[in-house]
Amino acid sequence: MNNISTQTTFSTTGMTKKLSLAATFFIALVVSSSSFAYQFDVDAQGEQAIKEHRQLMVQHMASVEQEYSAELNQDFDKQMKTAESKFLDQKCEQRGLDFDTRSEVCDG
């Protein structure tokens, strides 16, 4: 009888260990799934923040591109005016005349 009661105690202890291990695993699963659910919320908030940041960047880039384009146009116009004056100066000089910047014709 002593042998039978010892085996029953071991099987009960083994069963208790299995149940406590299963309970621990279940609790860990519940806790981690709730933290994963929170992580999904954070990811959704992060995704929204990224979308807003991209929109701000697109707006900023459009504004900067317009400013840069205007600046390039001003520089180009200035360079064209300088090149045109230089060209006309040279052509007038070849003919023995002076270039009048006010009337933009060769004067002589």
Side-chain angles (χ1 to χ4, degrees):
M1 227 185 205
N2 194 11
N3 192 15
I4 295 173
S5 65
T6 306
Q7 286 179 349
T8 307
T9 305
F10 281 139
S11 70
T12 307
T13 305
M15 183 63 86
T16 305
K17 286 182 181 179
K18 288 180 184 177
L19 283 174
S20 65
L21 182 63
T24 303
F25 178 73
F26 180 72
I27 290 170
L29 184 65
V30 167
V31 168
S32 68
S33 68
S34 68
S35 71
F36 285 133
Y38 175 73
Q39 183 65 35
F40 290 138
D41 290 342
V42 170
D43 289 344
Q45 291 172 355
E47 187 175 325
Q48 180 63 30
I50 290 171
K51 284 180 184 179
E52 290 173 6
H53 182 70
R54 283 185 181 158
Q55 287 175 347
L56 288 173
M57 284 183 58
V58 166
Q59 290 172 355
H60 179 69
M61 287 299 292
S63 172
V64 168
E65 285 176 3
Q66 287 176 347
E67 289 174 13
Y68 184 66
S69 180
E71 192 175 310
L72 283 177
N73 284 337
Q74 287 176 351
D75 286 346
F76 179 75
D77 290 343
K78 185 177 178 181
Q79 289 175 2
M80 281 297 289
K81 194 76 162 164
T82 303
E84 182 182 22
S85 293
K86 185 176 179 180
F87 174 77
L88 291 173
D89 252 350
Q90 290 173 350
K91 289 301 175 183
C92 290
E93 192 176 302
Q94 287 174 355
R95 294 184 173 88
L97 303 170
D98 291 326
F99 179 66
D100 182 20
T101 55
R102 195 173 289 179
S103 63
E104 296 184 344
V105 294
C106 292
D107 202 12

